Amino acid sequence: MATLSMDRKSAAKTLARWYAQQWLQRVGHGLYTAIPLDARATGQVLEDPWILVPPLFNPAYVGGWTAAEHWDLTEQLFRAIIVFTTKNIRTRRRNVHGITFLLRHIQPNALFGTRNIWRGQVKVQVSDAHRTIIDMLADPAVGGGIRHVADCFAAYFQLKEASPETLIQYAEKLGNGAVFKRMGFLAETIPNHRALIEACRERLTQGNAKLDPGLECPRLVRAWRLWIPKTWAAVRLSAKERPS
């Protein structure tokens, strides 16, 4: 209304007229985006769907595999956008004009470890590299499954800002005991991370968890109180043979 220099009623009529003339596309309640002239014939009207996250889901941040792509932790591309939000959500999947958002609800005190970035004129929160790893360890599904999470975990330690201390700090703040079990287990596949392994071992909670809740995990690794898939032994052996 302020942008259009008119009252609410006049602005609503103007937006409705532009929508009818196909100059605008409605992407949410009271939320419109301009349709580029060269995109009239397509259903995809947004060059950067991240800009929808604040108006649709705030307080929220982009995370999981989407953040992993942003921080160059992976070369794999995913179509859906992972969003963590404190808003109550009815469904974990929301489609907005051809754009799929996969939503995870979090408590307000779990809204930490993010950075503000500008996407055009819109400020969007995204999990930093440390929080991205912790979120994927807490829920491997948002990282594309544990094998992809393991690859991102290894790539994380190639970053200049990699910090085992920050990983431990974030994991403690999140308060998910399974994170330490998965992180310690995966850290054993990467050379020169004895301190991180020991820090995870010191924080082991009671009970057993699955390496990936989305997979059949029949084998128990008692040292980490972790159920793992049958095929994981070969993956771990291959990882240990990587040059340091």
Side-chain angles (χ1 to χ4, degrees):
M1 293 179 291
T3 302
L4 297 174
S5 299
M6 57 181 67
D7 58 38
R8 181 185 294 272
K9 184 176 181 180
S10 298
K13 289 182 177 180
T14 299
L15 291 172
R17 183 172 67 254
W18 288 347
Y19 173 73
Q21 295 170 343
Q22 296 187 350
W23 291 106
L24 297 178
Q25 181 75 289
R26 184 182 291 115
V27 294
H29 180 68
L31 182 64
Y32 297 82
T33 185
I35 300 178
L37 292 176
D38 59 354
R40 293 298 187 87
T42 70
Q44 187 78 14
V45 301
L46 282 175
E47 293 184 3
D48 186 357
W50 281 35
I51 65 174
L52 291 179
V53 173
L56 290 178
F57 307 117
N58 263 358
Y61 65 88
V62 174
W65 64 55
T66 314
E69 293 172 16
H70 177 76
W71 299 119
D72 293 326
L73 295 174
T74 179
E75 295 181 354
Q76 188 169 336
L77 300 178
F78 297 84
R79 295 188 63 183
I81 296 173
I82 301 289
V83 176
F84 291 79
T85 175
T86 64
K87 292 180 68 173
N88 291 326
I89 55 176
R90 296 180 180 179
T91 177
R92 287 192 167 192
R93 178 184 293 267
R94 181 167 176 182
N95 294 303
V96 182
H97 292 280
I99 302 163
T100 301
F101 294 94
L102 298 181
L103 309 176
R104 292 293 186 271
H105 179 262
I106 59 172
Q107 297 300 319
N109 61 3
L111 192 59
F112 66 89
T114 66
R115 293 187 187 178
N116 290 320
I117 61 172
W118 288 95
R119 308 285 287 215
Q121 297 181 343
V122 179
K123 185 167 63 174
V124 182
Q125 284 194 85
V126 58
S127 56
D128 63 24
H130 322 291
R131 180 62 191 271
T132 300
I133 291 297
I134 294 302
D135 280 341
M136 293 193 297
L137 289 172
D139 181 4
V142 303
I146 194 62
R147 295 189 186 281
H148 185 249
V149 172
D151 290 339
C152 293
F153 186 67
Y156 167 83
F157 290 102
Q158 303 303 313
L159 301 178
K160 290 182 179 180
E161 62 268 30
S163 169
E165 294 78 13
T166 302
L167 292 179
I168 293 296
Q169 176 188 346
Y170 280 15
E172 286 184 328
K173 191 169 184 178
L174 191 62
N176 185 331
V179 170
F180 291 110
K181 296 171 184 177
R182 295 178 184 130
M183 182 159 55
F185 177 80
L186 293 181
E188 286 190 332
T189 69
I190 304 173
N192 305 321
H193 286 292
R194 178 56 54 188
L196 177 60
I197 293 169
E198 292 305 318
C200 290
R201 199 182 306 279
E202 291 170 1
R203 292 164 174 80
L204 282 184
T205 54
Q206 295 298 317
N208 301 320
K210 284 187 174 183
L211 181 62
D212 188 334
L215 297 177
E216 185 176 350
C217 299
R219 178 188 167 200
L220 179 63
V221 177
R222 297 185 183 279
W224 289 108
R225 300 171 188 166
L226 200 62
W227 292 98
I228 68 170
K230 288 182 179 179
T231 58
W232 198 261
V235 174
R236 291 186 65 204
L237 177 60
S238 176
K240 287 183 176 180
E241 292 174 347
R242 296 172 186 163
S244 57

